[in-house]
Every structure is written in C-alpha cells, then in structure tokens.
Coordinates of all heavy atoms in Angstrom, one line a residue:
M1 N 0.8 -1.2 0.0 CA 0.0 0.0 0.0 C 0.9 1.3 0.0 O 0.6 2.2 -0.7 CB -0.9 0.0 1.2 CG -1.9 1.0 1.2 SD -3.1 0.8 -0.1 CE -4.2 2.1 0.2
Q2 N 2.0 1.2 0.7 CA 2.8 2.4 0.8 C 3.5 2.6 -0.5 O 3.6 3.8 -0.9 CB 4.0 2.1 1.9 CG 4.9 3.3 2.1 CD 4.2 4.5 2.6 OE1 3.2 4.5 3.3 NE2 4.7 5.7 2.3
I3 N 3.8 1.6 -1.3 CA 4.4 1.8 -2.6 C 3.5 2.5 -3.6 O 3.8 3.4 -4.3 CB 4.9 0.4 -3.2 CG1 6.0 -0.2 -2.3 CG2 5.3 0.6 -4.6 CD1 6.3 -1.6 -2.7
I4 N 2.2 2.1 -3.5 CA 1.2 2.8 -4.4 C 1.0 4.3 -4.1 O 1.0 5.1 -5.0 CB -0.2 2.1 -4.3 CG1 0.0 0.7 -4.8 CG2 -1.2 2.8 -5.0 CD1 -1.2 -0.2 -4.6
L5 N 1.0 4.6 -2.8 CA 0.9 6.0 -2.4 C 2.1 6.8 -2.8 O 2.0 7.9 -3.2 CB 0.7 6.1 -0.9 CG -0.7 5.5 -0.3 CD1 -0.7 5.6 1.2 CD2 -1.8 6.3 -0.9
T6 N 3.3 6.2 -2.7 CA 4.5 6.9 -3.1 C 4.5 7.2 -4.6 O 4.8 8.2 -5.1 CB 5.8 6.0 -2.7 OG1 5.7 5.7 -1.4 CG2 7.0 6.8 -3.0
V7 N 4.1 6.2 -5.4 CA 4.0 6.4 -6.9 C 3.0 7.5 -7.2 O 3.3 8.3 -8.0 CB 3.6 5.1 -7.6 CG1 3.4 5.3 -9.0 CG2 4.8 4.1 -7.4
R8 N 1.8 7.5 -6.6 CA 0.9 8.5 -6.8 C 1.4 9.9 -6.4 O 1.1 10.9 -7.1 CB -0.4 8.2 -6.1 CG -1.2 7.1 -6.7 CD -2.5 6.9 -6.0 NE -3.2 5.8 -6.6 CZ -4.3 5.2 -6.1 NH1 -4.8 5.6 -5.0 NH2 -4.9 4.2 -6.7
N9 N 2.1 9.9 -5.4 CA 2.6 11.2 -4.9 C 3.6 11.7 -5.8 O 3.7 12.9 -6.2 CB 3.3 11.1 -3.5 CG 3.5 12.4 -2.9 OD1 3.1 13.4 -3.3 ND2 4.4 12.4 -1.8
K10 N 4.5 10.9 -6.4 CA 5.5 11.3 -7.4 C 4.8 11.8 -8.7 O 5.2 12.8 -9.3 CB 6.4 10.2 -7.7 CG 7.4 9.9 -6.6 CD 8.4 8.8 -7.0 CE 9.4 8.6 -5.8 NZ 10.3 7.5 -6.2
Q11 N 3.7 11.1 -9.1 CA 3.0 11.5 -10.3 C 2.3 12.9 -10.1 O 2.3 13.7 -10.9 CB 2.0 10.5 -10.7 CG 2.5 9.2 -11.2 CD 1.4 8.2 -11.5 OE1 0.3 8.3 -11.0 NE2 1.8 7.1 -12.2
S12 N 1.9 13.1 -8.9 CA 1.2 14.3 -8.5 C 2.3 15.5 -8.6 O 2.0 16.6 -9.1 CB 0.6 14.3 -7.2 OG 0.1 15.6 -6.8
N13 N 3.5 15.2 -8.1 CA 4.5 16.3 -8.1 C 5.0 16.5 -9.6 O 5.2 17.7 -9.9 CB 5.7 15.8 -7.3 CG 5.5 15.9 -5.8 OD1 4.6 16.6 -5.4 ND2 6.2 15.1 -5.0
N14 N 5.0 15.5 -10.4 CA 5.4 15.7 -11.8 C 4.3 16.5 -12.5 O 4.6 17.3 -13.4 CB 5.6 14.4 -12.5 CG 6.9 13.7 -12.1 OD1 7.8 14.4 -11.6 ND2 7.0 12.4 -12.2
M15 N 3.1 16.2 -12.2 CA 2.0 17.0 -12.8 C 2.0 18.5 -12.4 O 1.8 19.3 -13.3 CB 0.7 16.3 -12.4 CG -0.5 16.9 -13.0 SD -0.5 16.5 -14.8 CE -2.2 16.8 -15.2
R16 N 2.3 18.8 -11.1 CA 2.4 20.1 -10.8 C 3.6 20.8 -11.4 O 3.5 21.9 -11.8 CB 2.6 20.2 -9.2 CG 1.3 20.1 -8.5 CD 1.5 20.5 -7.0 NE 0.7 19.5 -6.3 CZ 1.2 18.7 -5.3 NH1 2.5 18.8 -5.0 NH2 0.4 17.9 -4.7
F17 N 4.7 20.1 -11.5 CA 5.9 20.6 -12.2 C 5.6 21.0 -13.7 O 5.9 22.0 -14.1 CB 7.0 19.5 -12.1 CG 8.3 20.0 -12.7 CD1 9.1 20.9 -12.0 CD2 8.7 19.5 -13.9 CE1 10.3 21.3 -12.5 CE2 9.9 19.9 -14.5 CZ 10.7 20.8 -13.8
T18 N 5.0 20.0 -14.4 CA 4.6 20.2 -15.8 C 3.6 21.4 -15.9 O 3.8 22.2 -16.8 CB 4.0 18.9 -16.4 OG1 5.0 17.9 -16.2 CG2 3.7 19.1 -17.8
T19 N 2.6 21.4 -15.1 CA 1.6 22.5 -15.2 C 2.2 23.8 -14.9 O 1.8 24.8 -15.6 CB 0.4 22.2 -14.2 OG1 -0.1 20.8 -14.4 CG2 -0.6 23.2 -14.3
S20 N 3.0 23.9 -14.0 CA 3.7 25.2 -13.6 C 4.5 25.7 -14.8 O 4.5 26.9 -15.1 CB 4.5 25.1 -12.4 OG 5.6 24.2 -12.6
Y21 N 5.2 24.8 -15.5 CA 6.0 25.3 -16.7 C 5.1 25.6 -17.9 O 5.5 26.5 -18.7 CB 7.1 24.3 -17.0 CG 8.3 24.5 -16.0 CD1 8.5 23.6 -15.0 CD2 9.1 25.7 -16.1 CE1 9.5 23.9 -14.1 CE2 10.1 25.9 -15.2 CZ 10.3 25.0 -14.2 OH 11.3 25.2 -13.3
I22 N 4.0 25.0 -18.0 CA 3.0 25.4 -19.1 C 2.5 26.8 -18.7 O 2.4 27.6 -19.7 CB 1.9 24.3 -19.2 CG1 2.5 23.1 -19.8 CG2 0.8 24.8 -20.0 CD1 1.5 21.9 -19.7
I23 N 2.2 27.0 -17.5 CA 1.8 28.4 -17.1 C 2.9 29.4 -17.4 O 2.6 30.5 -17.9 CB 1.4 28.4 -15.6 CG1 0.1 27.6 -15.4 CG2 1.2 29.8 -15.1 CD1 -0.3 27.4 -14.0
L24 N 4.1 29.1 -17.1 CA 5.2 30.0 -17.4 C 5.4 30.3 -18.9 O 5.5 31.5 -19.3 CB 6.5 29.3 -16.9 CG 7.8 30.2 -17.1 CD1 7.8 31.5 -16.3 CD2 9.0 29.4 -16.8
I25 N 5.3 29.3 -19.7 CA 5.4 29.5 -21.2 C 4.2 30.3 -21.6 O 4.4 31.2 -22.5 CB 5.5 28.2 -21.9 CG1 6.8 27.5 -21.6 CG2 5.4 28.3 -23.4 CD1 6.9 26.1 -22.0
T26 N 3.1 30.0 -21.2 CA 1.9 30.8 -21.6 C 2.0 32.2 -21.1 O 1.6 33.1 -21.9 CB 0.6 30.2 -21.0 OG1 0.5 28.8 -21.4 CG2 -0.6 30.9 -21.5
S27 N 2.5 32.5 -20.0 CA 2.6 33.9 -19.5 C 3.7 34.6 -20.3 O 3.4 35.8 -20.6 CB 3.0 33.9 -18.0 OG 4.3 33.5 -17.8
F28 N 4.8 34.0 -20.7 CA 5.7 34.7 -21.5 C 5.1 35.0 -22.9 O 5.4 36.1 -23.5 CB 7.0 33.9 -21.7 CG 7.9 34.0 -20.5 CD1 8.7 32.9 -20.2 CD2 8.0 35.1 -19.7 CE1 9.5 32.9 -19.1 CE2 8.8 35.2 -18.6 CZ 9.7 34.1 -18.3
A29 N 4.3 34.1 -23.5 CA 3.7 34.3 -24.8 C 2.7 35.5 -24.7 O 2.7 36.4 -25.5 CB 3.0 33.1 -25.3
L30 N 1.9 35.5 -23.6 CA 1.0 36.6 -23.4 C 1.7 37.9 -23.2 O 1.3 39.0 -23.8 CB 0.0 36.3 -22.3 CG -1.0 35.3 -22.5 CD1 -1.8 35.0 -21.2 CD2 -2.0 35.6 -23.6
M31 N 2.7 37.9 -22.4 CA 3.4 39.2 -22.2 C 4.1 39.7 -23.5 O 4.1 40.9 -23.7 CB 4.4 39.0 -21.1 CG 3.8 38.9 -19.7 SD 4.9 38.9 -18.3 CE 6.0 37.5 -18.6
A32 N 4.7 38.8 -24.2 CA 5.3 39.2 -25.5 C 4.3 39.8 -26.5 O 4.5 40.9 -27.1 CB 6.0 38.1 -26.1
Y33 N 3.2 39.1 -26.6 CA 2.1 39.7 -27.5 C 1.5 41.0 -27.0 O 1.4 41.9 -27.7 CB 1.0 38.6 -27.6 CG -0.2 39.1 -28.4 CD1 -0.1 39.2 -29.8 CD2 -1.4 39.5 -27.8 CE1 -1.2 39.7 -30.5 CE2 -2.4 39.9 -28.5 CZ -2.3 40.0 -29.9 OH -3.4 40.5 -30.6
G34 N 1.3 41.0 -25.7 CA 0.8 42.3 -25.1 C 1.8 43.5 -25.3 O 1.4 44.6 -25.5
Y35 N 3.1 43.2 -25.0 CA 4.1 44.2 -25.3 C 4.1 44.7 -26.7 O 4.1 45.9 -27.0 CB 5.4 43.7 -24.8 CG 6.5 44.8 -25.0 CD1 6.7 45.8 -24.0 CD2 7.3 44.8 -26.1 CE1 7.6 46.8 -24.2 CE2 8.3 45.8 -26.3 CZ 8.4 46.8 -25.3 OH 9.3 47.8 -25.6
W36 N 4.1 43.7 -27.6 CA 4.1 44.1 -29.0 C 2.9 44.9 -29.4 O 3.0 45.9 -30.1 CB 4.2 42.8 -29.9 CG 4.0 43.1 -31.3 CD1 5.0 43.5 -32.2 CD2 2.8 43.0 -32.1 NE1 4.4 43.6 -33.4 CE2 3.1 43.4 -33.4 CE3 1.5 42.6 -31.8 CZ2 2.1 43.4 -34.4 CZ3 0.5 42.6 -32.8 CH2 0.9 43.0 -34.1
G37 N 1.8 44.5 -28.9 CA 0.5 45.2 -29.4 C 0.3 46.6 -28.7 O -0.3 47.5 -29.3
A38 N 0.9 46.7 -27.5 CA 0.6 48.0 -26.8 C 1.8 49.0 -26.9 O 1.5 50.2 -26.8 CB 0.4 47.7 -25.3
F39 N 3.0 48.5 -27.1 CA 4.2 49.4 -26.9 C 5.1 49.5 -28.2 O 6.1 50.2 -28.1 CB 5.0 49.0 -25.7 CG 4.2 49.1 -24.4 CD1 3.9 48.0 -23.7 CD2 3.8 50.3 -24.0 CE1 3.2 48.1 -22.6 CE2 3.1 50.4 -22.8 CZ 2.7 49.3 -22.1
T40 N 4.8 48.8 -29.3 CA 5.6 48.9 -30.5 C 4.8 49.7 -31.6 O 3.6 49.7 -31.6 CB 6.1 47.6 -31.0 OG1 5.0 46.8 -31.3 CG2 6.9 46.9 -29.9
T41 N 5.6 50.2 -32.5 CA 4.9 50.9 -33.6 C 4.1 50.0 -34.5 O 2.9 50.4 -34.8 CB 6.0 51.6 -34.5 OG1 6.7 52.5 -33.5 CG2 5.4 52.5 -35.5
P42 N 4.6 48.8 -34.9 CA 3.7 48.0 -35.7 C 2.5 47.5 -35.0 O 1.4 47.4 -35.6 CB 4.6 46.8 -36.1 CG 6.0 47.2 -35.8 CD 5.9 48.3 -34.8
G43 N 2.6 47.3 -33.6 CA 1.5 46.8 -32.9 C 0.5 47.9 -32.7 O -0.7 47.7 -32.7
N44 N 1.0 49.2 -32.6 CA 0.0 50.3 -32.5 C -0.7 50.5 -33.8 O -1.8 51.0 -33.8 CB 0.8 51.6 -32.1 CG 1.1 51.6 -30.6 OD1 0.4 51.0 -29.9 ND2 2.3 52.2 -30.3
K45 N -0.1 50.2 -35.0 CA -0.8 50.3 -36.2 C -1.9 49.3 -36.4 O -3.0 49.6 -36.9 CB 0.2 50.1 -37.4 CG 1.1 51.3 -37.6 CD 2.1 51.2 -38.7 CE 3.0 52.3 -38.8 NZ 4.0 52.2 -39.8
V46 N -1.7 48.1 -35.9 CA -2.6 47.0 -35.9 C -3.8 47.3 -35.0 O -4.9 47.1 -35.2 CB -2.0 45.6 -35.7 CG1 -3.1 44.5 -35.6 CG2 -1.0 45.3 -36.8
Y47 N -3.4 47.6 -33.7 CA -4.3 47.8 -32.6 C -4.3 49.3 -32.3 O -3.6 49.8 -31.5 CB -4.0 47.0 -31.4 CG -4.0 45.6 -31.6 CD1 -2.9 44.8 -31.8 CD2 -5.2 44.9 -31.7 CE1 -2.9 43.4 -32.0 CE2 -5.3 43.5 -31.8 CZ -4.1 42.8 -32.0 OH -4.2 41.5 -32.2
D48 N -5.2 50.1 -32.9 CA -5.3 51.5 -32.6 C -6.5 51.8 -31.8 O -7.4 51.1 -31.7 CB -5.3 52.3 -34.0 CG -6.5 51.9 -34.8 OD1 -7.1 50.9 -34.6 OD2 -6.8 52.7 -35.7
E49 N -6.4 52.9 -31.1 CA -7.4 53.4 -30.2 C -8.0 52.4 -29.3 O -7.2 51.8 -28.4 CB -8.6 54.0 -31.0 CG -8.1 55.2 -31.9 CD -9.2 55.8 -32.7 OE1 -10.4 55.5 -32.5 OE2 -8.9 56.6 -33.6
M50 N -9.3 52.0 -29.3 CA -9.9 51.1 -28.3 C -9.5 49.7 -28.5 O -9.5 48.9 -27.5 CB -11.4 51.2 -28.4 CG -12.0 52.5 -28.0 SD -11.6 52.9 -26.3 CE -12.7 51.8 -25.4
D51 N -9.0 49.3 -29.7 CA -8.5 47.9 -29.9 C -7.2 47.7 -29.1 O -6.8 46.5 -28.9 CB -8.2 47.7 -31.4 CG -9.6 47.5 -32.1 OD1 -10.6 47.2 -31.5 OD2 -9.5 47.7 -33.4
A52 N -6.5 48.7 -28.6 CA -5.3 48.5 -27.9 C -5.5 47.9 -26.5 O -4.6 47.5 -25.9 CB -4.6 49.8 -27.8
F53 N -6.8 47.8 -26.1 CA -7.1 47.2 -24.8 C -6.8 45.7 -24.8 O -6.4 45.1 -23.8 CB -8.5 47.5 -24.3 CG -8.7 48.8 -23.8 CD1 -9.7 49.6 -24.4 CD2 -8.0 49.3 -22.7 CE1 -9.9 50.9 -23.9 CE2 -8.1 50.6 -22.2 CZ -9.1 51.4 -22.8
Y54 N -7.0 45.1 -26.0 CA -6.7 43.6 -26.0 C -5.3 43.2 -25.7 O -5.1 42.4 -24.8 CB -7.2 43.0 -27.4 CG -8.7 43.2 -27.7 CD1 -9.1 44.0 -28.8 CD2 -9.6 42.7 -26.9 CE1 -10.4 44.2 -29.1 CE2 -11.0 42.9 -27.1 CZ -11.4 43.6 -28.3 OH -12.7 43.8 -28.6
P55 N -4.4 43.8 -26.4 CA -3.0 43.4 -26.0 C -2.6 43.9 -24.6 O -1.8 43.2 -23.9 CB -2.1 44.0 -27.1 CG -2.9 44.8 -27.9 CD -4.4 44.6 -27.6
F56 N -3.1 45.0 -24.2 CA -2.8 45.5 -22.9 C -3.2 44.6 -21.8 O -2.5 44.2 -20.9 CB -3.3 46.9 -22.6 CG -3.0 47.5 -21.4 CD1 -1.7 47.9 -21.1 CD2 -3.9 47.6 -20.3 CE1 -1.4 48.5 -19.8 CE2 -3.7 48.1 -19.1 CZ -2.4 48.6 -18.8
F57 N -4.5 44.1 -21.9 CA -5.0 43.1 -20.9 C -4.4 41.8 -21.0 O -4.2 41.1 -20.0 CB -6.6 43.0 -21.0 CG -7.2 44.2 -20.5 CD1 -8.2 44.9 -21.3 CD2 -7.0 44.7 -19.2 CE1 -8.8 46.0 -20.8 CE2 -7.6 45.9 -18.7 CZ -8.6 46.5 -19.5
M58 N -3.9 41.4 -22.2 CA -3.1 40.2 -22.3 C -1.8 40.3 -21.6 O -1.3 39.3 -21.0 CB -2.9 39.8 -23.8 CG -4.2 39.2 -24.4 SD -3.8 38.5 -26.0 CE -5.5 38.0 -26.5
L59 N -1.2 41.5 -21.6 CA 0.0 41.7 -20.9 C -0.2 41.6 -19.5 O 0.6 40.9 -18.7 CB 0.5 43.1 -21.3 CG 1.8 43.6 -20.6 CD1 3.0 42.7 -21.0 CD2 2.1 45.0 -20.9
I60 N -1.3 42.2 -19.0 CA -1.6 42.1 -17.6 C -1.9 40.6 -17.2 O -1.5 40.1 -16.1 CB -2.8 42.9 -17.2 CG1 -2.4 44.4 -17.3 CG2 -3.3 42.6 -15.8 CD1 -3.6 45.4 -17.2
G61 N -2.6 39.8 -18.0 CA -2.9 38.4 -17.8 C -1.6 37.6 -17.8 O -1.5 36.7 -17.0
G62 N -0.6 38.0 -18.6 CA 0.7 37.2 -18.5 C 1.4 37.5 -17.2 O 2.0 36.6 -16.7
V63 N 1.3 38.7 -16.7 CA 1.9 39.0 -15.5 C 1.2 38.2 -14.3 O 1.9 37.7 -13.4 CB 1.9 40.5 -15.2 CG1 2.3 40.9 -13.7 CG2 2.8 41.3 -16.2
V64 N -0.1 38.1 -14.4 CA -0.8 37.4 -13.3 C -0.4 35.9 -13.4 O -0.2 35.3 -12.4 CB -2.3 37.6 -13.5 CG1 -3.1 36.6 -12.7 CG2 -2.7 39.0 -13.2
L65 N -0.3 35.4 -14.6 CA 0.1 33.9 -14.8 C 1.6 33.7 -14.2 O 1.9 32.7 -13.7 CB 0.0 33.5 -16.2 CG -1.4 33.2 -16.7 CD1 -1.4 32.8 -18.1 CD2 -2.0 32.1 -15.9
L66 N 2.4 34.7 -14.5 CA 3.8 34.6 -13.9 C 3.8 34.6 -12.4 O 4.5 33.9 -11.8 CB 4.6 35.8 -14.5 CG 6.1 35.8 -14.1 CD1 6.7 34.6 -14.7 CD2 6.7 37.1 -14.6
I67 N 2.9 35.4 -11.8 CA 2.8 35.4 -10.3 C 2.3 34.1 -9.8 O 2.8 33.5 -8.9 CB 1.9 36.6 -9.9 CG1 2.6 37.9 -10.1 CG2 1.6 36.4 -8.4 CD1 1.7 39.2 -9.9
I68 N 1.3 33.5 -10.5 CA 0.8 32.2 -10.2 C 1.9 31.1 -10.3 O 2.1 30.2 -9.4 CB -0.4 31.8 -11.1 CG1 -1.6 32.7 -10.7 CG2 -0.8 30.3 -10.9 CD1 -2.8 32.5 -11.7
F69 N 2.7 31.2 -11.4 CA 3.8 30.3 -11.5 C 4.8 30.4 -10.3 O 5.3 29.4 -9.8 CB 4.6 30.6 -12.8 CG 5.9 29.9 -12.9 CD1 6.0 28.6 -13.1 CD2 7.1 30.6 -12.7 CE1 7.3 27.9 -13.2 CE2 8.3 30.0 -12.7 CZ 8.4 28.7 -13.0
L70 N 5.1 31.6 -9.9 CA 6.1 31.8 -8.8 C 5.5 31.2 -7.5 O 6.2 30.6 -6.7 CB 6.5 33.2 -8.7 CG 7.2 33.9 -9.8 CD1 7.4 35.3 -9.7 CD2 8.6 33.2 -9.9
I71 N 4.2 31.4 -7.3 CA 3.6 30.9 -6.1 C 3.6 29.3 -6.1 O 4.0 28.7 -5.1 CB 2.1 31.4 -6.0 CG1 2.1 32.9 -5.6 CG2 1.3 30.6 -4.9 CD1 0.8 33.5 -5.7
L72 N 3.3 28.7 -7.3 CA 3.4 27.3 -7.4 C 4.8 26.8 -7.2 O 5.0 25.7 -6.6 CB 2.9 26.9 -8.7 CG 1.4 26.8 -9.0 CD1 1.1 26.5 -10.4 CD2 0.8 25.8 -8.1
L73 N 5.8 27.5 -7.7 CA 7.2 27.1 -7.5 C 7.6 27.2 -6.0 O 8.2 26.2 -5.6 CB 8.1 28.1 -8.3 CG 9.5 27.7 -8.5 CD1 9.7 26.4 -9.3 CD2 10.3 28.8 -9.1
I74 N 7.1 28.2 -5.3 CA 7.4 28.3 -3.9 C 6.8 27.1 -3.1 O 7.4 26.5 -2.3 CB 7.0 29.6 -3.3 CG1 7.9 30.8 -3.9 CG2 7.0 29.7 -1.8 CD1 7.4 32.2 -3.6
I75 N 5.5 26.8 -3.5 CA 4.8 25.7 -2.8 C 5.5 24.4 -3.1 O 5.7 23.6 -2.1 CB 3.4 25.7 -3.2 CG1 2.6 26.9 -2.7 CG2 2.7 24.4 -2.9 CD1 1.2 27.1 -3.2
M76 N 5.9 24.1 -4.3 CA 6.6 22.9 -4.6 C 7.9 22.7 -3.9 O 8.3 21.7 -3.5 CB 6.8 22.8 -6.1 CG 5.6 22.5 -6.9 SD 5.8 22.1 -8.6 CE 6.7 23.5 -9.2
R77 N 8.7 23.8 -3.8 CA 10.0 23.8 -3.1 C 9.8 23.5 -1.7 O 10.6 22.8 -1.1 CB 10.8 25.0 -3.4 CG 11.1 25.2 -4.8 CD 12.4 25.8 -5.1 NE 12.7 25.8 -6.5 CZ 13.8 26.1 -7.0 NH1 14.8 26.4 -6.2 NH2 13.9 26.1 -8.3
R78 N 8.8 24.2 -1.0 CA 8.5 23.9 0.4 C 8.1 22.5 0.7 O 8.5 21.9 1.6 CB 7.5 24.9 0.9 CG 8.0 26.3 1.1 CD 6.9 27.1 1.8 NE 7.5 28.5 1.9 CZ 6.8 29.5 2.4 NH1 5.5 29.3 2.7 NH2 7.3 30.6 2.5
K79 N 7.3 21.9 -0.2 CA 6.9 20.5 -0.1 C 8.1 19.6 -0.3 O 8.1 18.5 0.3 CB 5.7 20.2 -1.0 CG 4.4 20.7 -0.6 CD 3.3 20.3 -1.4 CE 2.0 20.8 -0.8 NZ 0.9 20.3 -1.4
A80 N 9.0 19.9 -1.2 CA 10.1 19.1 -1.5 C 11.1 19.0 -0.3 O 11.8 18.0 0.0 CB 10.8 19.6 -2.7
K81 N 11.2 20.1 0.5 CA 12.0 20.1 1.7 C 11.5 19.3 2.8 O 12.3 18.8 3.6 CB 12.2 21.6 2.2 CG 13.0 22.4 1.3 CD 13.2 23.8 1.8 CE 14.0 24.7 0.9 NZ 14.1 26.0 1.4
K82 N 10.2 19.0 2.8 CA 9.6 18.2 3.9 C 9.9 16.7 3.8 O 10.3 16.1 3.2 CB 8.1 18.4 4.0 CG 7.7 19.7 4.4 CD 6.2 19.8 4.5 CE 5.8 21.2 5.0 NZ 4.4 21.3 5.0

C-alpha cells in the first residue's frame, strides 16, 4: 500500500511541475504579445485606439500567470524540503 501511495505522490509532483511550466510559457507568450501590441509601432498600427485594450489586458494576464507560476514554484519547493 505504501508503494502505491508513493508512486501517486510522485506523479502528482510531476503533474504540478509540468503544469507550472506550461503556465510559465503561456505567461511569456501573453506578455510578449501584449508588449508588441501595446508598446511597439507595428503593434500600434494594428491595434489602434480602443482595440489596444486587447494586447494591454493580455500583458496584464501574462503578469498574473507569472505570479501564479512563482507561487506554485514556492509551494513545490517547500513541499520538497519536507
């Protein structure tokens, strides 16, 4: 019984590890797109006036996902120390 619980625990840790890095990659993609759309000349030509809110909010969403990634990383490291 102990072996089964150990295997499940390792799978759970691997799942959290994979999920956190998917969140990291997604946050970088959103931040890059948001920066391009809101703060570069070609992005401003594509997204002018009110349309510029889309990339700006994607930039904010990328930052939020980055914060979630950092929180998950801290939680995983604390659990690994135990």
